[in-house]
Amino acid sequence: MAVAPGTVRLHLGSSKSADTATSGRYDLIKGGVELFGDRPLQGYGAGSFPREFRRHQRSSTERAVSASHTIPVTVAAEQGIVGLVLYIVLLVLAFARLLFRASRSLLRAAVAAAFAALVFHTFLYAAFLEDPLTWTLLGVGVALARAVPAAHARERART
């Protein structure tokens, strides 16, 4: 797209062209940011993005909207700054747990890398909290993190 934007009908000087090339994501993100700007503290409530987006954009219900397709924007619009901070804290704690001593285990490093890829993906498609893979990776990562100290304790008990 950067080398030959015309091949995908993308004109870099036009937001309408970018919106078309990204299946409407530009407008969804812009609308989500505007929703957050209107209610930065409390947001509009869990699951309210589709309704509020259509209401603010004066869009018909025929236009299918489930989220901004960028999970931080959806969280900010629905939960306000408190929800956004809690989302960031969740990510920090999850990464801290998954990365702790991950350099000692290829399997743990792979789980942490898969989780990082999933988080990156949610910046382009909003399905982080709803995606079972999120919770599977966190569960496996936590289980692996617990297994390492237990293995070290058994090893120390032998000596």
Side-chain angles (χ1 to χ4, degrees), residues 19-35:
D19 192 44
T20 302
T22 60
S23 303
R25 281 175 170 78
Y26 176 83
D27 277 345
L28 289 169
I29 292 168
K30 182 179 170 210
V33 170
E34 289 172 1
L35 287 173

mmCIF file with all atom_site columns, all heavy atoms in Angstrom, residues 19-35:
data_model
loop_
_atom_site.group_PDB
_atom_site.id
_atom_site.type_symbol
_atom_site.label_atom_id
_atom_site.label_alt_id
_atom_site.label_comp_id
_atom_site.label_asym_id
_atom_site.label_entity_id
_atom_site.label_seq_id
_atom_site.pdbx_PDB_ins_code
_atom_site.Cartn_x
_atom_site.Cartn_y
_atom_site.Cartn_z
_atom_site.occupancy
_atom_site.B_iso_or_equiv
_atom_site.pdbx_formal_charge
_atom_site.auth_seq_id
_atom_site.auth_comp_id
_atom_site.auth_asym_id
_atom_site.auth_atom_id
_atom_site.pdbx_PDB_model_num
ATOM 1   N N   . ASP A 1 19 ? -10.764 5.527  4.404  1.00 0.00 ? 19 ASP A N   1
ATOM 2   C CA  . ASP A 1 19 ? -11.904 4.875  5.042  1.00 0.00 ? 19 ASP A CA  1
ATOM 3   C C   . ASP A 1 19 ? -12.424 3.735  4.176  1.00 0.00 ? 19 ASP A C   1
ATOM 4   O O   . ASP A 1 19 ? -12.718 2.647  4.661  1.00 0.00 ? 19 ASP A O   1
ATOM 5   C CB  . ASP A 1 19 ? -13.009 5.904  5.309  1.00 0.00 ? 19 ASP A CB  1
ATOM 6   C CG  . ASP A 1 19 ? -14.088 5.352  6.218  1.00 0.00 ? 19 ASP A CG  1
ATOM 7   O OD1 . ASP A 1 19 ? -13.733 4.701  7.226  1.00 0.00 ? 19 ASP A OD1 1
ATOM 8   O OD2 . ASP A 1 19 ? -15.264 5.550  5.926  1.00 0.00 ? 19 ASP A OD2 1
ATOM 9   N N   . THR A 1 20 ? -12.507 3.967  2.867  1.00 0.00 ? 20 THR A N   1
ATOM 10  C CA  . THR A 1 20 ? -12.966 2.935  1.951  1.00 0.00 ? 20 THR A CA  1
ATOM 11  C C   . THR A 1 20 ? -11.988 1.763  1.936  1.00 0.00 ? 20 THR A C   1
ATOM 12  O O   . THR A 1 20 ? -12.397 0.607  1.994  1.00 0.00 ? 20 THR A O   1
ATOM 13  C CB  . THR A 1 20 ? -13.132 3.511  0.533  1.00 0.00 ? 20 THR A CB  1
ATOM 14  O OG1 . THR A 1 20 ? -14.069 4.592  0.590  1.00 0.00 ? 20 THR A OG1 1
ATOM 15  C CG2 . THR A 1 20 ? -13.618 2.464  -0.442 1.00 0.00 ? 20 THR A CG2 1
ATOM 16  N N   . ALA A 1 21 ? -10.692 2.066  1.884  1.00 0.00 ? 21 ALA A N   1
ATOM 17  C CA  . ALA A 1 21 ? -9.670  1.019  1.829  1.00 0.00 ? 21 ALA A CA  1
ATOM 18  C C   . ALA A 1 21 ? -9.610  0.208  3.104  1.00 0.00 ? 21 ALA A C   1
ATOM 19  O O   . ALA A 1 21 ? -9.175  -0.941 3.090  1.00 0.00 ? 21 ALA A O   1
ATOM 20  C CB  . ALA A 1 21 ? -8.307  1.644  1.535  1.00 0.00 ? 21 ALA A CB  1
ATOM 21  N N   . THR A 1 22 ? -10.050 0.765  4.214  1.00 0.00 ? 22 THR A N   1
ATOM 22  C CA  . THR A 1 22 ? -9.982  0.049  5.499  1.00 0.00 ? 22 THR A CA  1
ATOM 23  C C   . THR A 1 22 ? -11.363 -0.406 5.964  1.00 0.00 ? 22 THR A C   1
ATOM 24  O O   . THR A 1 22 ? -11.583 -0.596 7.158  1.00 0.00 ? 22 THR A O   1
ATOM 25  C CB  . THR A 1 22 ? -9.341  0.932  6.578  1.00 0.00 ? 22 THR A CB  1
ATOM 26  O OG1 . THR A 1 22 ? -10.136 2.108  6.749  1.00 0.00 ? 22 THR A OG1 1
ATOM 27  C CG2 . THR A 1 22 ? -7.914  1.294  6.237  1.00 0.00 ? 22 THR A CG2 1
ATOM 28  N N   . SER A 1 23 ? -12.293 -0.571 5.040  1.00 0.00 ? 23 SER A N   1
ATOM 29  C CA  . SER A 1 23 ? -13.651 -1.053 5.341  1.00 0.00 ? 23 SER A CA  1
ATOM 30  C C   . SER A 1 23 ? -14.363 -0.187 6.374  1.00 0.00 ? 23 SER A C   1
ATOM 31  O O   . SER A 1 23 ? -15.055 -0.695 7.252  1.00 0.00 ? 23 SER A O   1
ATOM 32  C CB  . SER A 1 23 ? -13.596 -2.502 5.818  1.00 0.00 ? 23 SER A CB  1
ATOM 33  O OG  . SER A 1 23 ? -12.981 -3.317 4.871  1.00 0.00 ? 23 SER A OG  1
ATOM 34  N N   . GLY A 1 24 ? -14.179 1.118  6.307  1.00 0.00 ? 24 GLY A N   1
ATOM 35  C CA  . GLY A 1 24 ? -14.890 2.026  7.200  1.00 0.00 ? 24 GLY A CA  1
ATOM 36  C C   . GLY A 1 24 ? -14.255 2.222  8.555  1.00 0.00 ? 24 GLY A C   1
ATOM 37  O O   . GLY A 1 24 ? -14.808 2.911  9.403  1.00 0.00 ? 24 GLY A O   1
ATOM 38  N N   . ARG A 1 25 ? -13.089 1.648  8.794  1.00 0.00 ? 25 ARG A N   1
ATOM 39  C CA  . ARG A 1 25 ? -12.458 1.742  10.108 1.00 0.00 ? 25 ARG A CA  1
ATOM 40  C C   . ARG A 1 25 ? -12.077 3.176  10.476 1.00 0.00 ? 25 ARG A C   1
ATOM 41  O O   . ARG A 1 25 ? -12.144 3.552  11.634 1.00 0.00 ? 25 ARG A O   1
ATOM 42  C CB  . ARG A 1 25 ? -11.246 0.828  10.196 1.00 0.00 ? 25 ARG A CB  1
ATOM 43  C CG  . ARG A 1 25 ? -11.643 -0.617 10.427 1.00 0.00 ? 25 ARG A CG  1
ATOM 44  C CD  . ARG A 1 25 ? -10.417 -1.530 10.395 1.00 0.00 ? 25 ARG A CD  1
ATOM 45  N NE  . ARG A 1 25 ? -10.704 -2.872 10.823 1.00 0.00 ? 25 ARG A NE  1
ATOM 46  C CZ  . ARG A 1 25 ? -11.298 -3.794 10.103 1.00 0.00 ? 25 ARG A CZ  1
ATOM 47  N NH1 . ARG A 1 25 ? -11.717 -3.497 8.881  1.00 0.00 ? 25 ARG A NH1 1
ATOM 48  N NH2 . ARG A 1 25 ? -11.498 -5.000 10.564 1.00 0.00 ? 25 ARG A NH2 1
ATOM 49  N N   . TYR A 1 26 ? -11.688 3.961  9.495  1.00 0.00 ? 26 TYR A N   1
ATOM 50  C CA  . TYR A 1 26 ? -11.316 5.345  9.777  1.00 0.00 ? 26 TYR A CA  1
ATOM 51  C C   . TYR A 1 26 ? -12.476 6.077  10.429 1.00 0.00 ? 26 TYR A C   1
ATOM 52  O O   . TYR A 1 26 ? -12.323 6.726  11.461 1.00 0.00 ? 26 TYR A O   1
ATOM 53  C CB  . TYR A 1 26 ? -10.858 6.054  8.492  1.00 0.00 ? 26 TYR A CB  1
ATOM 54  C CG  . TYR A 1 26 ? -10.562 7.519  8.696  1.00 0.00 ? 26 TYR A CG  1
ATOM 55  C CD1 . TYR A 1 26 ? -9.328  7.921  9.194  1.00 0.00 ? 26 TYR A CD1 1
ATOM 56  C CD2 . TYR A 1 26 ? -11.517 8.491  8.408  1.00 0.00 ? 26 TYR A CD2 1
ATOM 57  C CE1 . TYR A 1 26 ? -9.056  9.260  9.406  1.00 0.00 ? 26 TYR A CE1 1
ATOM 58  C CE2 . TYR A 1 26 ? -11.254 9.834  8.619  1.00 0.00 ? 26 TYR A CE2 1
ATOM 59  C CZ  . TYR A 1 26 ? -10.023 10.216 9.113  1.00 0.00 ? 26 TYR A CZ  1
ATOM 60  O OH  . TYR A 1 26 ? -9.758  11.549 9.328  1.00 0.00 ? 26 TYR A OH  1
ATOM 61  N N   . ASP A 1 27 ? -13.672 5.970  9.834  1.00 0.00 ? 27 ASP A N   1
ATOM 62  C CA  . ASP A 1 27 ? -14.854 6.632  10.406 1.00 0.00 ? 27 ASP A CA  1
ATOM 63  C C   . ASP A 1 27 ? -15.211 6.055  11.770 1.00 0.00 ? 27 ASP A C   1
ATOM 64  O O   . ASP A 1 27 ? -15.631 6.783  12.669 1.00 0.00 ? 27 ASP A O   1
ATOM 65  C CB  . ASP A 1 27 ? -16.062 6.498  9.472  1.00 0.00 ? 27 ASP A CB  1
ATOM 66  C CG  . ASP A 1 27 ? -16.062 7.542  8.363  1.00 0.00 ? 27 ASP A CG  1
ATOM 67  O OD1 . ASP A 1 27 ? -15.301 8.526  8.466  1.00 0.00 ? 27 ASP A OD1 1
ATOM 68  O OD2 . ASP A 1 27 ? -16.822 7.366  7.389  1.00 0.00 ? 27 ASP A OD2 1
ATOM 69  N N   . LEU A 1 28 ? -15.079 4.741  11.935 1.00 0.00 ? 28 LEU A N   1
ATOM 70  C CA  . LEU A 1 28 ? -15.381 4.113  13.222 1.00 0.00 ? 28 LEU A CA  1
ATOM 71  C C   . LEU A 1 28 ? -14.438 4.601  14.313 1.00 0.00 ? 28 LEU A C   1
ATOM 72  O O   . LEU A 1 28 ? -14.863 4.917  15.423 1.00 0.00 ? 28 LEU A O   1
ATOM 73  C CB  . LEU A 1 28 ? -15.309 2.586  13.105 1.00 0.00 ? 28 LEU A CB  1
ATOM 74  C CG  . LEU A 1 28 ? -16.428 1.925  12.304 1.00 0.00 ? 28 LEU A CG  1
ATOM 75  C CD1 . LEU A 1 28 ? -16.090 0.463  12.032 1.00 0.00 ? 28 LEU A CD1 1
ATOM 76  C CD2 . LEU A 1 28 ? -17.744 2.052  13.033 1.00 0.00 ? 28 LEU A CD2 1
ATOM 77  N N   . ILE A 1 29 ? -13.157 4.664  13.996 1.00 0.00 ? 29 ILE A N   1
ATOM 78  C CA  . ILE A 1 29 ? -12.172 5.131  14.981 1.00 0.00 ? 29 ILE A CA  1
ATOM 79  C C   . ILE A 1 29 ? -12.412 6.605  15.291 1.00 0.00 ? 29 ILE A C   1
ATOM 80  O O   . ILE A 1 29 ? -12.441 7.009  16.460 1.00 0.00 ? 29 ILE A O   1
ATOM 81  C CB  . ILE A 1 29 ? -10.734 4.886  14.479 1.00 0.00 ? 29 ILE A CB  1
ATOM 82  C CG1 . ILE A 1 29 ? -10.455 3.383  14.434 1.00 0.00 ? 29 ILE A CG1 1
ATOM 83  C CG2 . ILE A 1 29 ? -9.719  5.593  15.362 1.00 0.00 ? 29 ILE A CG2 1
ATOM 84  C CD1 . ILE A 1 29 ? -9.185  3.006  13.704 1.00 0.00 ? 29 ILE A CD1 1
ATOM 85  N N   . LYS A 1 30 ? -12.609 7.395  14.249 1.00 0.00 ? 30 LYS A N   1
ATOM 86  C CA  . LYS A 1 30 ? -12.881 8.826  14.449 1.00 0.00 ? 30 LYS A CA  1
ATOM 87  C C   . LYS A 1 30 ? -14.136 9.015  15.293 1.00 0.00 ? 30 LYS A C   1
ATOM 88  O O   . LYS A 1 30 ? -14.152 9.814  16.243 1.00 0.00 ? 30 LYS A O   1
ATOM 89  C CB  . LYS A 1 30 ? -13.035 9.509  13.091 1.00 0.00 ? 30 LYS A CB  1
ATOM 90  C CG  . LYS A 1 30 ? -13.278 10.994 13.178 1.00 0.00 ? 30 LYS A CG  1
ATOM 91  C CD  . LYS A 1 30 ? -13.395 11.577 11.776 1.00 0.00 ? 30 LYS A CD  1
ATOM 92  C CE  . LYS A 1 30 ? -13.872 13.004 11.878 1.00 0.00 ? 30 LYS A CE  1
ATOM 93  N NZ  . LYS A 1 30 ? -14.659 13.424 10.743 1.00 0.00 ? 30 LYS A NZ  1
ATOM 94  N N   . GLY A 1 31 ? -15.188 8.269  14.987 1.00 0.00 ? 31 GLY A N   1
ATOM 95  C CA  . GLY A 1 31 ? -16.419 8.360  15.763 1.00 0.00 ? 31 GLY A CA  1
ATOM 96  C C   . GLY A 1 31 ? -16.216 7.913  17.203 1.00 0.00 ? 31 GLY A C   1
ATOM 97  O O   . GLY A 1 31 ? -16.769 8.516  18.134 1.00 0.00 ? 31 GLY A O   1
ATOM 98  N N   . GLY A 1 32 ? -15.427 6.862  17.416 1.00 0.00 ? 32 GLY A N   1
ATOM 99  C CA  . GLY A 1 32 ? -15.135 6.394  18.775 1.00 0.00 ? 32 GLY A CA  1
ATOM 100 C C   . GLY A 1 32 ? -14.370 7.420  19.577 1.00 0.00 ? 32 GLY A C   1
ATOM 101 O O   . GLY A 1 32 ? -14.655 7.633  20.764 1.00 0.00 ? 32 GLY A O   1
ATOM 102 N N   . VAL A 1 33 ? -13.414 8.072  18.942 1.00 0.00 ? 33 VAL A N   1
ATOM 103 C CA  . VAL A 1 33 ? -12.649 9.124  19.618 1.00 0.00 ? 33 VAL A CA  1
ATOM 104 C C   . VAL A 1 33 ? -13.569 10.295 19.968 1.00 0.00 ? 33 VAL A C   1
ATOM 105 O O   . VAL A 1 33 ? -13.465 10.874 21.055 1.00 0.00 ? 33 VAL A O   1
ATOM 106 C CB  . VAL A 1 33 ? -11.444 9.568  18.756 1.00 0.00 ? 33 VAL A CB  1
ATOM 107 C CG1 . VAL A 1 33 ? -10.793 10.819 19.311 1.00 0.00 ? 33 VAL A CG1 1
ATOM 108 C CG2 . VAL A 1 33 ? -10.425 8.442  18.649 1.00 0.00 ? 33 VAL A CG2 1
ATOM 109 N N   . GLU A 1 34 ? -14.486 10.627 19.078 1.00 0.00 ? 34 GLU A N   1
ATOM 110 C CA  . GLU A 1 34 ? -15.443 11.695 19.369 1.00 0.00 ? 34 GLU A CA  1
ATOM 111 C C   . GLU A 1 34 ? -16.363 11.317 20.525 1.00 0.00 ? 34 GLU A C   1
ATOM 112 O O   . GLU A 1 34 ? -16.662 12.144 21.390 1.00 0.00 ? 34 GLU A O   1
ATOM 113 C CB  . GLU A 1 34 ? -16.266 12.025 18.119 1.00 0.00 ? 34 GLU A CB  1
ATOM 114 C CG  . GLU A 1 34 ? -15.464 12.740 17.054 1.00 0.00 ? 34 GLU A CG  1
ATOM 115 C CD  . GLU A 1 34 ? -16.214 12.893 15.733 1.00 0.00 ? 34 GLU A CD  1
ATOM 116 O OE1 . GLU A 1 34 ? -17.386 12.447 15.631 1.00 0.00 ? 34 GLU A OE1 1
ATOM 117 O OE2 . GLU A 1 34 ? -15.608 13.441 14.796 1.00 0.00 ? 34 GLU A OE2 1
ATOM 118 N N   . LEU A 1 35 ? -16.808 10.046 20.561 1.00 0.00 ? 35 LEU A N   1
ATOM 119 C CA  . LEU A 1 35 ? -17.635 9.588  21.681 1.00 0.00 ? 35 LEU A CA  1
ATOM 120 C C   . LEU A 1 35 ? -16.866 9.723  22.992 1.00 0.00 ? 35 LEU A C   1
ATOM 121 O O   . LEU A 1 35 ? -17.401 10.192 23.992 1.00 0.00 ? 35 LEU A O   1
ATOM 122 C CB  . LEU A 1 35 ? -18.065 8.130  21.476 1.00 0.00 ? 35 LEU A CB  1
ATOM 123 C CG  . LEU A 1 35 ? -19.124 7.868  20.414 1.00 0.00 ? 35 LEU A CG  1
ATOM 124 C CD1 . LEU A 1 35 ? -19.312 6.368  20.205 1.00 0.00 ? 35 LEU A CD1 1
ATOM 125 C CD2 . LEU A 1 35 ? -20.436 8.530  20.782 1.00 0.00 ? 35 LEU A CD2 1
#
